[in-house]
Amino acid sequence: MEKVDGYRYSCDMYGLEEGFPPEPKKPGPARYRTFTYDDTDGFRASKFSRASLADLRLIFRKNASAGRRAIATKPWITAQLRLYDIPFRSSADADELFSTLGAAVSDRKCIEGGPPSIDALERRLQTTYCQSWVDYDAAVERHKLAVDAWHYENFSKLDDPSAEVRCDVKWFFSKYFVDDKGLPAPDKRTEPIILWDMHDYLQELRCHVDAIPGLSAKMTACVTVIAWAQELDRGVDMAFEMIDRPSIKLDHPTLEAYFDADRFLAKYFLDGLHGQPAREKQREPLVLKSYIGGDKIAKKLIEATQNLPDLLVEETVEPSQDWRGKYSEDCVVVGWVKQVVPLAKSLELAAAQAKEREARREERNREKRILAKVKPHIDYARAHRPAPSGPFTLHHLVGSYIMHCRELQRNYGCDLGSMTLDIHAPTSAHGALAAFNFGVVEGTMLLAPSEEALELLREEQPPYQRDDYYDEDSGEDVGMPGNSIAPGKRRAATATQTRPFKRRLGVSEPAPTPGRFYLQWAGCETSTSYLIFDDVHTRSGYFDLDKSGLTARGRFRYEGMFDDPLVFTLLKVADKPRQKPDAWSSYCEEERWRHW
């Protein structure tokens, strides 16, 4: 069965089936004792390639680094001795082997490119390896013939023309329509052949039919007829009659119209093929499904009824409850004019009503999903009745919240239950820290009752800290290149640079808004892991607690991603925060590199 990938496809698809010829095994490396050769790794001993003399001298010099000498394991040294044909005791330990190889390097016993004896062995293994691939290619050609024979044996067991086409189109035409030389052979098959469900084979079938003189076909994805030209009409009649059988699971009138519009009209609305209207045959309109043939059915019927003014073909929609969850489906109504128009309108109205019912159902389901996600807040509010009264301080904020934001939920796929804010108890007189996850960004938030307190809280944040640079080769703590830090000492902390809080001269501070808390954030984009540190004070906002102190509404600024501040709502769900915030300066790229 030669498909897109031909031979390779057959091996992958049918390799495990009973009777399929075993595939030749690809040759591995050519071997001689511990020596191997292949195209990928070249000439090696015990899976190690030959090191150059320059690399060997670097390993055996007096001040060689620990990293270079770590390469010289016992298996590696043994391989180098064999690749340079240096005698050694097979029972020697690693130190003795290291000394033997070092002496050979010092005494210039190692020849660049290897000694003649090893070079000859390499050429012999290379020749053996190349010959193994020549033998493999020949075996593949023999296997291709065996695979073809296996496929043809399976083809010869088939008795269904449709199955024969799916097995091999070329063999199908050779069996029924051409001789051994590829010439037309009308005597092989005089009867028309009817094929079913040829969706993936129509183009290939058409190419073969067009290449054989005298052969004709009527092709659709569901039903195809192939016959010699003088027998094609009879074959079409046979296929059309076979559609109206219980074994055909598709809608029979739709399939009949798709296969042959003229014969469809003759069966239901005319007194014969290309005949006159016969109203007594089919008084009610027929509704044809669009899932067979799409808009091709309407086009075929419109063309076939051009000279029949009493018949009308109308495209519309009808209610649908299929597996795709659609509330309507395209359809074609065909019949007498007076009956088609009202039926088409009623179907369209029913589809609109189904759409409206579906919209109401979806709205109910959406409300249920929202209710399920805010249930933790509802339960929390019920458990804290009566709600605390103001004025509210930072201590009232401590706890866990879920965040609701229409913009993030509608346009960025953020889920209502997944966006959170966890506020911790204040550790400063100026404010508190919180961990937040707002879907598109997550990080650390500073909270304070005023903008001035927020500035003071930011200045209190410690700089980013990490252990000093560790040198794996020396095993000592050292500073970065260019810095002088004694081994084992830590770098002194430096204050994070902050921009002074600017006030407009001559303008008095506005009166504080009751229940309002100001925020500034630093974080990381969840999609790119890009660090965002607010050194210009543009990642800010605020929220206002309501009278209950359990919900809040606010604005969240994220310049660079959103032109306008995001409007959000906070719903409290617990008294204890669930997530711990990272250090404020951990989101500053410069601060991280300074201490790296």
Side-chain angles (χ1 to χ4, degrees), residues 158-229:
L158 300 174
D159 56 2
D160 177 20
S162 299
E164 291 172 337
V165 170
R166 297 186 190 99
C167 182
D168 194 286
V169 175
K170 184 177 179 181
W171 290 340
F172 165 80
F173 281 93
S174 297
K175 177 178 180 179
Y176 294 108
F177 300 110
V178 297
D179 58 19
D180 296 338
K181 297 180 180 179
L183 299 176
D187 297 335
K188 271 192 171 183
R189 175 80 179 199
T190 57
E191 292 293 313
I193 294 181
I194 301 172
L195 307 173
W196 301 89
D197 298 328
M198 293 287 106
H199 300 75
D200 300 329
Y201 301 89
L202 291 180
Q203 184 176 358
E204 194 172 358
L205 287 170
R206 174 55 65 186
C207 291
H208 280 79
V209 169
D210 292 344
I212 301 174
L215 196 63
S216 299
K218 182 176 181 60
M219 297 184 181
T220 64
C222 299
V223 188
T224 294
V225 179
I226 301 178
W228 299 107

Side-chain angles (χ1 to χ4, degrees), residues 243-280:
I243 292 175
D244 196 9
R245 296 184 305 177
S247 59
I248 304 299
K249 302 302 181 182
L250 299 175
D251 183 71
H252 293 178
T254 302
L255 187 54
E256 290 169 337
Y258 178 49
F259 177 63
D260 194 294
D262 291 326
R263 285 173 170 79
F264 165 81
L265 293 175
K267 177 178 179 179
Y268 294 101
F269 301 104
L270 305 179
D271 58 6
L273 191 61
H274 306 296
Q276 296 301 313
R279 292 178 178 272
E280 67 279 0

